[in-house]
Amino acid sequence: MTQDRSDPPAHDITTEIDSLRTALTRNKGKRIRRLLKTMHPAKIASLLETLTPEQRIAAWHQIDPSVELKVLSHLPIRLRVQLRRAMDADAKVALGELNQPISEDTAAAADYDEPETQLSLVFDALQNGKLKRIARLFRELHPARIAGLLESLPAAERATAWSMVDNERTGKVLRHLHEEVRQRLAAEMDLEDLVDAARRLEPDDLVDLIQDLPDTTGRQILQAMNMRERARLESMLSYPKDSAGGLMNMDQIAVRANIKVGTLLRYLRLLDELPPNTDKFFVVDRKNQYQGILRARRVLTARPEAAVEDLMETDFEPVLAEQSSEEVARRFEQQDLISLPVVDAENQLLGRITVDDVVDVIREQAEQSMMRMAGLDEETDMFAPVLASSRRRAVWLGINLLTAFLAAWVIGLFEGTLQQVVSLAVLMPIVASMGGIAGSQTLTLVIRGLATGQLESRNTRILLLKEAGVGLLNGLLWALVVAALAIVWFGNWAIGAIIATAILVNLLCAAFAGVAIPLLMRRLHIDPALAGSVVLTTVTDVVGFFTFLGLATLVLL
Amino acid sequence: MTQDRSDPPAHDITTEIDSLRTALTRNKGKRIRRLLKTMHPAKIASLLETLTPEQRIAAWHQIDPSVELKVLSHLPIRLRVQLRRAMDADAKVALGELNQPISEDTAAAADYDEPETQLSLVFDALQNGKLKRIARLFRELHPARIAGLLESLPAAERATAWSMVDNERTGKVLRHLHEEVRQRLAAEMDLEDLVDAARRLEPDDLVDLIQDLPDTTGRQILQAMNMRERARLESMLSYPKDSAGGLMNMDQIAVRANIKVGTLLRYLRLLDELPPNTDKFFVVDRKNQYQGILRARRVLTARPEAAVEDLMETDFEPVLAEQSSEEVARRFEQQDLISLPVVDAENQLLGRITVDDVVDVIREQAEQSMMRMAGLDEETDMFAPVLASSRRRAVWLGINLLTAFLAAWVIGLFEGTLQQVVSLAVLMPIVASMGGIAGSQTLTLVIRGLATGQLESRNTRILLLKEAGVGLLNGLLWALVVAALAIVWFGNWAIGAIIATAILVNLLCAAFAGVAIPLLMRRLHIDPALAGSVVLTTVTDVVGFFTFLGLATLVLL
């Protein structure tokens, strides 16, 4: 057992060292772990001895905890102490004893200046190459929290941390990631690992994942499934992602109306564990036609000899697979549901939708309309590469530039006026800005009304009158205030009167535009949240500049 | 039985007619119904005869369906036929047979030109005073849907429709209304009715309602409860509305660890019906200390002789009553929960939070940050009175006016330059607008990152670098485009160079401001969604105008 690190002896394990070294320099954590898993602890020990201290620590961090002690027993004492110390420090970190000075090992302790958050723990571990700490932390966290941490990391760090997620949990973590991040991390995985992760997912989550992946990868995953699974997945994949069919799962428990509660309970005991969110069973006939629901809480409180048909509810409406996920979410929210049966046009029971997926839909929808209003429709990854981000946002800036040039063109019409009364140039942004703010308030109210389904053709006119009233009152108020300020500033009564009129006109126009634009877009099948504010500010800019400078031209020249 | 409608005979029921007439003219549906309920059908019939045809139909629409036939039997045939026809037409409307021509009764049929939606049904019924139609429709709808319809109505119509909600359901409808609407409708109710409605609510919903009502009304409702209920409500009221304690309900089922499943099942059967969303029971010791959970689905699949302690999970973390509802919502979302135990600092089980309330929290939070970005924080009623709306929005417009004047002041510094090169006035809004759009994209991303907890001190610098990179790339791109357009337009190379520089500088500043402003506001405990965009556009306006006009002054003069 030599300790010559710089020049490893050329015996029979050279190739393994080589591939391990390559993997270490390339930071391919998963590959290192796969290599290490196939080796005997003694072999790993001799391997560790041949590595440089940095490489040794890095490789050590990839060794499975179950063989750690065995590997240690094969090492010379000096190395054993060194690695044990690193381990102890890690254990303390993992146990949250972060504020206690860590004996001797001051180098390790010095790394933890700001140990408050799990995120900073991950960052520190990444900076120091102590990947095992990340693995240990991840093992204690819920997959959703791991997903959140991964999304908080920039791309390179994210890939490294991602490689430390246990194979059994990669699927669950993937499920909780936002679309863009999920695509990118899945694309970096070996197909073999991806298929393995996919197998551990619930069918509805797997369908989501396949829909987010490139076509060929998706097909490869499907081919790795067995016949029955594949048929099931393919039927689920046939529904669009934002439909009830795309949201549904197929883990429902269907029962016949004529059985007794006792029989049902015996059957359930055979299952050992019910699928999560099973608050009701679905009653079907022989042809799998949906007939009604049986609530689990009725089963809990019923006598064993009671029949399902006496306990079931036949007036519970199922949802059609084609219905939009938005409608489904609204129904869950309004009726406080946990699960909902999905049927096809022939009333055949297809599956069920559960509240956990609906909560995700609600959050995503709400997030989307906020992001869309800033033209960030697809930007679900906070740390997307600069180039990708720039390209996507450039589109929005380009559209805005067109409208800005339109406003500039309107100003250009009055160049002569501006030349003679330059104070108009000083005041004109005020008119445009007040209109833009007032209009965007109306716009936001209308977009929300459309999203909640509370705004219809029958009450639009009433809302328009109300908003016009608000525009009139605020128009009068601020017209007077601005006029007074303008008169004080420029000592010109005419300019005060002109700006007051322009502000009043612009606020009234803003109210009309704020109501009309989203309704018009809806009729043209454009999402009002996406383009509404650009169109609105164009209107208020153009009207504001035109009224103000136009009036000035008429009055002052 | 005379049919003199204009001059009722002065016999013993005059006072009842009088109060009914008053109630009819004041449109007090509830009072009419209360009056009618105490009367004998024969008396109602004679009353109806003394009314004018319009009043008769209106009163008829307030009669309880259960006595309709009895009242009819006491009426002369002519009136009977008339009222029956109105009833039939209503029944068809209620059954959705809207597109079928309604026999003879052409007048009624003509009302249904646009019968597609429930909302238009309500509007038509209100216009024609056929309130019974509304009551019938409401009886078939879920309370949440009724709340939605009420929110879609302007104030006067809303009050009328509200009076047609059955007493048993007013509480449930109130629960689903937005705060502002809820307050207004509750304020219009008689205290007696309000207390009656309050009694039918779940404690958590009742607590919400009391918190939204004026103090005195809330206290009156509390005093109408019995001792035990009041003590319970008061302890729940002691937690802030947006904390776990404010969200919790007290309908949990707590069990001891040492009992057997069979015993538990016998106990559950005694309850007959379990509280909704009971997916788990809570295990406590003798002192009501929380020990763990027992999932309902484990009970369903367990043998009766198994003990609770063998099936319970002790590693399920309860939530502290003081925790914020935001944290609670995030945990529900991440861990796909249906219910969650709430404990105090001494680990005493206080109650439980269920997913239906969390879904409301999630939707409200998401809605709020969108509404806040437009300064519509409190505007939850689309049809709030014009004056109330104007006053609230005026604040926002006033703040914006200050920032607009700041921008105007910056422009004013360069009045001399503008006078000499008037084309600068034409182009300057473009610089400000591009900065504003780019900045608001970064701002929205950061606000979302802060809301999801993914942005922390450790990754802020990386995000800032990324956003600066995006600002640089888009700045270069659009600087070139705008410069080219400006040169073509004004034929002046210097102006092209100046505007290009100004746009690049402004987009870089926008990126920094977009990251820095929300972080700063957060540190000052101001909601970044509320004031972020105003501060941001101030920065981009000021920087845009200053750079552009400043450079122009240096180069062109």
Side-chain angles (χ1 to χ4, degrees), chain A residues 117 142 151-152 269 272 274 301-302 334 366 382 393 400 454 456 459 466-467, chain B residues 117 142 151-152 269 272 297 301-302 334 366 382 393 433 454 456 459 466-467:
Chain A
T117 64
H142 189 276
E151 290 188 349
S152 313
R269 265 167 221 148
D272 197 41
L274 297 187
T301 60
Q334 294 189 334
M382 193 160 62
R393 294 197 210 167
N400 180 65
Q454 283 177 8
E456 291 187 13
N459 53 6
K466 179 213 148 191
E467 289 300 317
Chain B
T117 64
H142 190 276
E151 291 188 349
S152 312
R269 265 170 221 146
D272 196 43
R297 56 185 159 119
T301 60
Q334 292 187 338
M382 193 161 62
R393 295 198 211 165
S433 148
Q454 283 179 7
E456 291 187 11
N459 52 8
K466 180 213 146 191
E467 289 299 318

mmCIF file of all heavy atoms in Angstrom, chain A residues 117 142 151-152 269 272 274 301-302 334 366 382 393 400 454 456 459 466-467, chain B residues 117 142 151-152 269 272 297 301-302 334 366 382 393 433 454 456 459 466-467:
data_model
loop_
_atom_site.group_PDB
_atom_site.id
_atom_site.type_symbol
_atom_site.label_atom_id
_atom_site.label_comp_id
_atom_site.label_asym_id
_atom_site.label_seq_id
_atom_site.Cartn_x
_atom_site.Cartn_y
_atom_site.Cartn_z
ATOM 1 N N THR A 117 -29.343 29.432 6.527
ATOM 2 C CA THR A 117 -30.355 28.808 5.686
ATOM 3 C C THR A 117 -29.854 27.531 5.044
ATOM 4 O O THR A 117 -28.647 27.303 4.930
ATOM 5 C CB THR A 117 -30.766 29.764 4.558
ATOM 6 O OG1 THR A 117 -29.632 29.980 3.729
ATOM 7 C CG2 THR A 117 -31.276 31.069 5.114
ATOM 8 N N HIS A 142 -38.125 17.177 2.053
ATOM 9 C CA HIS A 142 -39.215 16.779 1.186
ATOM 10 C C HIS A 142 -38.819 17.092 -0.266
ATOM 11 O O HIS A 142 -38.167 18.091 -0.522
ATOM 12 C CB HIS A 142 -40.461 17.585 1.584
ATOM 13 C CG HIS A 142 -41.702 17.112 0.913
ATOM 14 N ND1 HIS A 142 -42.064 17.510 -0.346
ATOM 15 C CD2 HIS A 142 -42.652 16.247 1.314
ATOM 16 C CE1 HIS A 142 -43.202 16.926 -0.673
ATOM 17 N NE2 HIS A 142 -43.582 16.152 0.318
ATOM 18 N N GLU A 151 -34.027 25.199 -7.688
ATOM 19 C CA GLU A 151 -34.422 26.360 -8.490
ATOM 20 C C GLU A 151 -33.743 27.629 -8.006
ATOM 21 O O GLU A 151 -33.654 28.603 -8.743
ATOM 22 C CB GLU A 151 -35.943 26.537 -8.458
ATOM 23 C CG GLU A 151 -36.651 25.434 -9.236
ATOM 24 C CD GLU A 151 -38.144 25.669 -9.384
ATOM 25 O OE1 GLU A 151 -38.671 26.575 -8.723
ATOM 26 O OE2 GLU A 151 -38.771 24.936 -10.160
ATOM 27 N N SER A 152 -33.266 27.608 -6.764
ATOM 28 C CA SER A 152 -32.573 28.778 -6.236
ATOM 29 C C SER A 152 -31.102 28.813 -6.630
ATOM 30 O O SER A 152 -30.395 29.744 -6.278
ATOM 31 C CB SER A 152 -32.663 28.804 -4.706
ATOM 32 O OG SER A 152 -33.966 28.568 -4.276
ATOM 33 N N ARG A 269 -58.449 -3.957 2.793
ATOM 34 C CA ARG A 269 -57.377 -4.509 3.621
ATOM 35 C C ARG A 269 -56.364 -5.256 2.783
ATOM 36 O O ARG A 269 -55.166 -5.267 3.083
ATOM 37 C CB ARG A 269 -57.953 -5.419 4.701
ATOM 38 C CG ARG A 269 -58.148 -4.678 5.997
ATOM 39 C CD ARG A 269 -58.982 -5.439 6.989
ATOM 40 N NE ARG A 269 -59.882 -4.518 7.649
ATOM 41 C CZ ARG A 269 -61.088 -4.810 8.088
ATOM 42 N NH1 ARG A 269 -61.575 -6.043 7.944
ATOM 43 N NH2 ARG A 269 -61.828 -3.910 8.668
ATOM 44 N N ASP A 272 -53.759 -3.018 1.453
ATOM 45 C CA ASP A 272 -52.778 -2.594 2.443
ATOM 46 C C ASP A 272 -52.669 -1.083 2.512
ATOM 47 O O ASP A 272 -52.851 -0.490 3.552
ATOM 48 C CB ASP A 272 -51.404 -3.205 2.150
ATOM 49 C CG ASP A 272 -50.542 -3.105 3.386
ATOM 50 O OD1 ASP A 272 -51.089 -3.347 4.486
ATOM 51 O OD2 ASP A 272 -49.359 -2.783 3.272
ATOM 52 N N LEU A 274 -54.009 2.618 0.716
ATOM 53 C CA LEU A 274 -54.842 3.273 -0.289
ATOM 54 C C LEU A 274 -54.036 4.364 -0.980
ATOM 55 O O LEU A 274 -53.122 4.928 -0.397
ATOM 56 C CB LEU A 274 -56.065 3.910 0.373
ATOM 57 C CG LEU A 274 -57.036 2.975 1.066
ATOM 58 C CD1 LEU A 274 -58.264 3.749 1.508
ATOM 59 C CD2 LEU A 274 -57.452 1.862 0.133
ATOM 60 N N THR A 301 -68.003 5.196 9.011
ATOM 61 C CA THR A 301 -69.058 5.276 10.024
ATOM 62 C C THR A 301 -70.196 4.296 9.753
ATOM 63 O O THR A 301 -71.157 4.253 10.517
ATOM 64 C CB THR A 301 -69.636 6.709 10.082
ATOM 65 O OG1 THR A 301 -70.173 7.031 8.799
ATOM 66 C CG2 THR A 301 -68.580 7.717 10.442
ATOM 67 N N ALA A 302 -70.101 3.499 8.664
ATOM 68 C CA ALA A 302 -71.211 2.604 8.318
ATOM 69 C C ALA A 302 -71.037 1.245 8.986
ATOM 70 O O ALA A 302 -69.929 0.831 9.330
ATOM 71 C CB ALA A 302 -71.291 2.446 6.806
ATOM 72 N N GLN A 334 -64.552 25.956 -5.380
ATOM 73 C CA GLN A 334 -65.874 26.357 -4.925
ATOM 74 C C GLN A 334 -66.528 25.292 -4.074
ATOM 75 O O GLN A 334 -67.289 25.594 -3.172
ATOM 76 C CB GLN A 334 -66.755 26.671 -6.137
ATOM 77 C CG GLN A 334 -66.269 27.896 -6.896
ATOM 78 C CD GLN A 334 -67.258 28.346 -7.952
ATOM 79 O OE1 GLN A 334 -68.037 27.552 -8.448
ATOM 80 N NE2 GLN A 334 -67.205 29.606 -8.305
ATOM 81 N N ALA A 366 -52.201 31.589 -11.308
ATOM 82 C CA ALA A 366 -52.103 32.894 -10.683
ATOM 83 C C ALA A 366 -50.741 33.513 -10.986
ATOM 84 O O ALA A 366 -50.627 34.693 -11.314
ATOM 85 C CB ALA A 366 -52.293 32.764 -9.181
ATOM 86 N N MET A 382 -35.685 31.197 -12.796
ATOM 87 C CA MET A 382 -35.097 32.473 -12.400
ATOM 88 C C MET A 382 -33.660 32.592 -12.919
ATOM 89 O O MET A 382 -33.186 33.687 -13.199
ATOM 90 C CB MET A 382 -35.118 32.555 -10.873
ATOM 91 C CG MET A 382 -34.839 33.901 -10.308
ATOM 92 S SD MET A 382 -35.447 34.027 -8.601
ATOM 93 C CE MET A 382 -34.484 32.766 -7.770
ATOM 94 N N ARG A 393 -37.076 38.036 -23.718
ATOM 95 C CA ARG A 393 -37.557 39.351 -23.311
ATOM 96 C C ARG A 393 -37.450 40.365 -24.432
ATOM 97 O O ARG A 393 -38.160 41.369 -24.442
ATOM 98 C CB ARG A 393 -36.758 39.844 -22.114
ATOM 99 C CG ARG A 393 -37.018 38.964 -20.912
ATOM 100 C CD ARG A 393 -36.576 39.654 -19.677
ATOM 101 N NE ARG A 393 -36.151 38.696 -18.686
ATOM 102 C CZ ARG A 393 -35.484 39.021 -17.598
ATOM 103 N NH1 ARG A 393 -35.136 40.281 -17.392
ATOM 104 N NH2 ARG A 393 -35.145 38.105 -16.733
ATOM 105 N N ASN A 400 -42.917 46.753 -27.426
ATOM 106 C CA ASN A 400 -43.039 48.019 -26.733
ATOM 107 C C ASN A 400 -42.409 49.159 -27.529
ATOM 108 O O ASN A 400 -42.904 50.276 -27.541
ATOM 109 C CB ASN A 400 -42.371 47.911 -25.358
ATOM 110 C CG ASN A 400 -42.459 49.208 -24.598
ATOM 111 O OD1 ASN A 400 -43.541 49.635 -24.256
ATOM 112 N ND2 ASN A 400 -41.324 49.846 -24.383
ATOM 113 N N GLN A 454 -66.625 36.428 -13.485
ATOM 114 C CA GLN A 454 -67.681 37.283 -12.943
ATOM 115 C C GLN A 454 -68.076 38.400 -13.885
ATOM 116 O O GLN A 454 -69.065 39.095 -13.659
ATOM 117 C CB GLN A 454 -67.253 37.854 -11.589
ATOM 118 C CG GLN A 454 -67.379 36.823 -10.495
ATOM 119 C CD GLN A 454 -66.902 37.332 -9.169
ATOM 120 O OE1 GLN A 454 -66.603 38.494 -9.017
ATOM 121 N NE2 GLN A 454 -66.826 36.448 -8.206
ATOM 122 N N GLU A 456 -69.444 39.376 -17.463
ATOM 123 C CA GLU A 456 -70.133 38.818 -18.631
ATOM 124 C C GLU A 456 -70.728 39.951 -19.428
ATOM 125 O O GLU A 456 -70.722 41.092 -18.992
ATOM 126 C CB GLU A 456 -71.268 37.903 -18.175
ATOM 127 C CG GLU A 456 -70.835 36.649 -17.524
ATOM 128 C CD GLU A 456 -72.032 35.753 -17.282
ATOM 129 O OE1 GLU A 456 -73.109 36.030 -17.841
ATOM 130 O OE2 GLU A 456 -71.892 34.780 -16.547
ATOM 131 N N ASN A 459 -73.178 42.375 -17.453
ATOM 132 C CA ASN A 459 -72.815 43.410 -16.482
ATOM 133 C C ASN A 459 -71.660 44.298 -16.940
ATOM 134 O O ASN A 459 -71.172 45.120 -16.189
ATOM 135 C CB ASN A 459 -72.529 42.805 -15.098
ATOM 136 C CG ASN A 459 -71.509 41.695 -15.149
ATOM 137 O OD1 ASN A 459 -70.930 41.436 -16.200
ATOM 138 N ND2 ASN A 459 -71.275 41.047 -14.016
ATOM 139 N N LYS A 466 -69.480 52.534 -14.193
ATOM 140 C CA LYS A 466 -68.825 52.753 -12.912
ATOM 141 C C LYS A 466 -67.396 53.255 -13.108
ATOM 142 O O LYS A 466 -66.956 54.215 -12.477
ATOM 143 C CB LYS A 466 -68.811 51.463 -12.102
ATOM 144 C CG LYS A 466 -68.126 51.620 -10.753
ATOM 145 C CD LYS A 466 -67.424 50.371 -10.345
ATOM 146 C CE LYS A 466 -66.199 50.704 -9.533
ATOM 147 N NZ LYS A 466 -65.336 49.548 -9.320
ATOM 148 N N GLU A 467 -66.668 52.589 -14.015
ATOM 149 C CA GLU A 467 -65.276 52.981 -14.238
ATOM 150 C C GLU A 467 -65.197 54.383 -14.834
ATOM 151 O O GLU A 467 -64.286 55.156 -14.517
ATOM 152 C CB GLU A 467 -64.580 51.968 -15.156
ATOM 153 C CG GLU A 467 -64.318 50.626 -14.496
ATOM 154 C CD GLU A 467 -63.417 50.746 -13.268
ATOM 155 O OE1 GLU A 467 -62.419 51.484 -13.341
ATOM 156 O OE2 GLU A 467 -63.721 50.119 -12.238
ATOM 157 N N THR B 117 -76.778 32.460 -19.887
ATOM 158 C CA THR B 117 -76.047 32.288 -18.639
ATOM 159 C C THR B 117 -76.947 32.427 -17.429
ATOM 160 O O THR B 117 -78.027 33.003 -17.501
ATOM 161 C CB THR B 117 -74.947 33.352 -18.526
ATOM 162 O OG1 THR B 117 -75.576 34.634 -18.468
ATOM 163 C CG2 THR B 117 -74.013 33.301 -19.701
ATOM 164 N N HIS B 142 -74.558 25.779 -5.860
ATOM 165 C CA HIS B 142 -73.617 25.701 -4.742
ATOM 166 C C HIS B 142 -73.428 27.107 -4.155
ATOM 167 O O HIS B 142 -73.400 28.077 -4.905
ATOM 168 C CB HIS B 142 -72.297 25.147 -5.266
ATOM 169 C CG HIS B 142 -71.326 24.798 -4.194
ATOM 170 N ND1 HIS B 142 -70.499 25.721 -3.620
ATOM 171 C CD2 HIS B 142 -71.068 23.631 -3.587
ATOM 172 C CE1 HIS B 142 -69.764 25.120 -2.709
ATOM 173 N NE2 HIS B 142 -70.098 23.856 -2.667
ATOM 174 N N GLU B 151 -71.477 38.670 -6.621
ATOM 175 C CA GLU B 151 -70.366 39.597 -6.873
ATOM 176 C C GLU B 151 -70.428 40.168 -8.282
ATOM 177 O O GLU B 151 -69.826 41.201 -8.564
ATOM 178 C CB GLU B 151 -69.022 38.894 -6.639
ATOM 179 C CG GLU B 151 -68.792 38.589 -5.170
ATOM 180 C CD GLU B 151 -67.401 38.061 -4.890
ATOM 181 O OE1 GLU B 151 -66.683 37.734 -5.846
ATOM 182 O OE2 GLU B 151 -67.044 37.982 -3.704
ATOM 183 N N SER B 152 -71.127 39.477 -9.181
ATOM 184 C CA SER B 152 -71.247 39.972 -10.553
ATOM 185 C C SER B 152 -72.344 41.018 -10.688
ATOM 186 O O SER B 152 -72.552 41.536 -11.770
ATOM 187 C CB SER B 152 -71.570 38.815 -11.506
ATOM 188 O OG SER B 152 -70.712 37.736 -11.288
ATOM 189 N N ARG B 269 -68.661 5.378 14.321
ATOM 190 C CA ARG B 269 -70.034 5.071 13.922
ATOM 191 C C ARG B 269 -71.039 5.858 14.754
ATOM 192 O O ARG B 269 -72.088 6.242 14.258
ATOM 193 C CB ARG B 269 -70.295 3.579 14.050
ATOM 194 C CG ARG B 269 -70.081 2.876 12.730
ATOM 195 C CD ARG B 269 -70.091 1.376 12.842
ATOM 196 N NE ARG B 269 -69.032 0.858 12.003
ATOM 197 C CZ ARG B 269 -68.309 -0.215 12.276
ATOM 198 N NH1 ARG B 269 -68.504 -0.893 13.378
ATOM 199 N NH2 ARG B 269 -67.367 -0.598 11.441
ATOM 200 N N ASP B 272 -71.745 9.166 13.286
ATOM 201 C CA ASP B 272 -72.584 9.118 12.100
ATOM 202 C C ASP B 272 -71.913 9.808 10.911
ATOM 203 O O ASP B 272 -71.763 9.239 9.861
ATOM 204 C CB ASP B 272 -73.955 9.738 12.364
ATOM 205 C CG ASP B 272 -74.911 9.331 11.269
ATOM 206 O OD1 ASP B 272 -74.857 8.137 10.907
ATOM 207 O OD2 ASP B 272 -75.659 10.171 10.763
ATOM 208 N N ARG B 297 -56.894 6.423 5.986
ATOM 209 C CA ARG B 297 -56.780 5.285 5.071
ATOM 210 C C ARG B 297 -56.084 4.092 5.722
ATOM 211 O O ARG B 297 -56.325 2.954 5.341
ATOM 212 C CB ARG B 297 -56.092 5.687 3.778
ATOM 213 C CG ARG B 297 -54.725 6.300 3.927
ATOM 214 C CD ARG B 297 -54.238 6.748 2.539
ATOM 215 N NE ARG B 297 -53.210 7.740 2.635
ATOM 216 C CZ ARG B 297 -51.968 7.586 2.168
ATOM 217 N NH1 ARG B 297 -51.631 6.496 1.560
ATOM 218 N NH2 ARG B 297 -51.083 8.548 2.308
ATOM 219 N N THR B 301 -57.782 0.189 6.121
ATOM 220 C CA THR B 301 -57.141 -1.045 5.689
ATOM 221 C C THR B 301 -56.623 -1.876 6.870
ATOM 222 O O THR B 301 -56.063 -2.946 6.661
ATOM 223 C CB THR B 301 -55.961 -0.731 4.740
ATOM 224 O OG1 THR B 301 -55.023 0.079 5.441
ATOM 225 C CG2 THR B 301 -56.423 0.000 3.505
ATOM 226 N N ALA B 302 -56.813 -1.367 8.114
ATOM 227 C CA ALA B 302 -56.261 -2.099 9.271
ATOM 228 C C ALA B 302 -57.265 -3.118 9.813
ATOM 229 O O ALA B 302 -58.475 -2.976 9.621
ATOM 230 C CB ALA B 302 -55.899 -1.106 10.373
ATOM 231 N N GLN B 334 -46.491 21.950 -0.929
ATOM 232 C CA GLN B 334 -45.314 21.130 -1.170
ATOM 233 C C GLN B 334 -45.523 19.690 -0.756
ATOM 234 O O GLN B 334 -44.977 18.773 -1.355
ATOM 235 C CB GLN B 334 -44.111 21.715 -0.417
ATOM 236 C CG GLN B 334 -43.680 23.051 -0.985
ATOM 237 C CD GLN B 334 -42.398 23.549 -0.376
ATOM 238 O OE1 GLN B 334 -42.015 23.158 0.719
ATOM 239 N NE2 GLN B 334 -41.701 24.407 -1.093
ATOM 240 N N ALA B 366 -52.332 35.097 -4.501
ATOM 241 C CA ALA B 366 -51.930 35.297 -5.885
ATOM 242 C C ALA B 366 -52.667 36.477 -6.481
ATOM 243 O O ALA B 366 -52.082 37.312 -7.166
ATOM 244 C CB ALA B 366 -52.206 34.030 -6.686
ATOM 245 N N MET B 382 -65.818 44.361 -7.404
ATOM 246 C CA MET B 382 -65.763 44.942 -8.738
ATOM 247 C C MET B 382 -66.753 46.089 -8.872
ATOM 248 O O MET B 382 -66.520 47.040 -9.607
ATOM 249 C CB MET B 382 -66.089 43.839 -9.746
ATOM 250 C CG MET B 382 -65.776 44.170 -11.163
ATOM 251 S SD MET B 382 -65.667 42.670 -12.178
ATOM 252 C CE MET B 382 -67.317 41.991 -12.034
ATOM 253 N N ARG B 393 -58.442 54.799 -5.272
ATOM 254 C CA ARG B 393 -57.486 54.870 -6.381
ATOM 255 C C ARG B 393 -56.791 56.214 -6.462
ATOM 256 O O ARG B 393 -55.710 56.321 -7.033
ATOM 257 C CB ARG B 393 -58.226 54.604 -7.687
ATOM 258 C CG ARG B 393 -58.750 53.195 -7.717
ATOM 259 C CD ARG B 393 -59.067 52.799 -9.121
ATOM 260 N NE ARG B 393 -60.169 51.857 -9.147
ATOM 261 C CZ ARG B 393 -60.844 51.552 -10.235
ATOM 262 N NH1 ARG B 393 -60.528 52.130 -11.379
ATOM 263 N NH2 ARG B 393 -61.809 50.672 -10.197
ATOM 264 N N SER B 433 -39.511 54.751 -21.716
ATOM 265 C CA SER B 433 -40.421 53.622 -21.818
ATOM 266 C C SER B 433 -39.679 52.288 -21.913
ATOM 267 O O SER B 433 -40.062 51.304 -21.264
ATOM 268 C CB SER B 433 -41.327 53.847 -23.028
ATOM 269 O OG SER B 433 -41.687 52.661 -23.618
ATOM 270 N N GLN B 454 -37.462 31.662 -2.938
ATOM 271 C CA GLN B 454 -36.300 31.118 -3.634
ATOM 272 C C GLN B 454 -35.168 32.124 -3.770
ATOM 273 O O GLN B 454 -34.073 31.770 -4.186
ATOM 274 C CB GLN B 454 -36.710 30.601 -5.024
ATOM 275 C CG GLN B 454 -37.420 29.271 -4.917
ATOM 276 C CD GLN B 454 -37.854 28.745 -6.250
ATOM 277 O OE1 GLN B 454 -37.518 29.302 -7.280
ATOM 278 N NE2 GLN B 454 -38.596 27.672 -6.238
ATOM 279 N N GLU B 456 -32.642 34.513 -1.902
ATOM 280 C CA GLU B 456 -32.063 34.771 -0.583
ATOM 281 C C GLU B 456 -30.793 35.578 -0.766
ATOM 282 O O GLU B 456 -30.329 35.768 -1.887
ATOM 283 C CB GLU B 456 -31.692 33.446 0.090
ATOM 284 C CG GLU B 456 -32.847 32.611 0.501
ATOM 285 C CD GLU B 456 -32.357 31.413 1.301
ATOM 286 O OE1 GLU B 456 -31.165 31.393 1.680
ATOM 287 O OE2 GLU B 456 -33.147 30.506 1.521
ATOM 288 N N ASN B 459 -28.068 33.991 -3.169
ATOM 289 C CA ASN B 459 -28.079 33.931 -4.634
ATOM 290 C C ASN B 459 -28.475 35.256 -5.290
ATOM 291 O O ASN B 459 -28.650 35.326 -6.497
ATOM 292 C CB ASN B 459 -28.974 32.784 -5.131
ATOM 293 C CG ASN B 459 -30.362 32.818 -4.536
ATOM 294 O OD1 ASN B 459 -30.699 33.782 -3.861
ATOM 295 N ND2 ASN B 459 -31.149 31.802 -4.792
ATOM 296 N N LYS B 466 -26.820 38.034 -13.627
ATOM 297 C CA LYS B 466 -27.573 37.516 -14.764
ATOM 298 C C LYS B 466 -28.453 38.603 -15.360
ATOM 299 O O LYS B 466 -28.481 38.797 -16.581
ATOM 300 C CB LYS B 466 -28.445 36.340 -14.313
ATOM 301 C CG LYS B 466 -29.255 35.754 -15.442
ATOM 302 C CD LYS B 466 -30.606 35.233 -14.975
ATOM 303 C CE LYS B 466 -31.652 35.441 -16.038
ATOM 304 N NZ LYS B 466 -32.997 35.192 -15.566
ATOM 305 N N GLU B 467 -29.183 39.339 -14.492
ATOM 306 C CA GLU B 467 -30.077 40.382 -15.000
ATOM 307 C C GLU B 467 -29.285 41.498 -15.679
ATOM 308 O O GLU B 467 -29.734 42.069 -16.673
ATOM 309 C CB GLU B 467 -30.932 40.943 -13.859
ATOM 310 C CG GLU B 467 -31.980 39.975 -13.359
ATOM 311 C CD GLU B 467 -32.978 39.574 -14.435
ATOM 312 O OE1 GLU B 467 -33.415 40.455 -15.198
ATOM 313 O OE2 GLU B 467 -33.306 38.378 -14.542
#
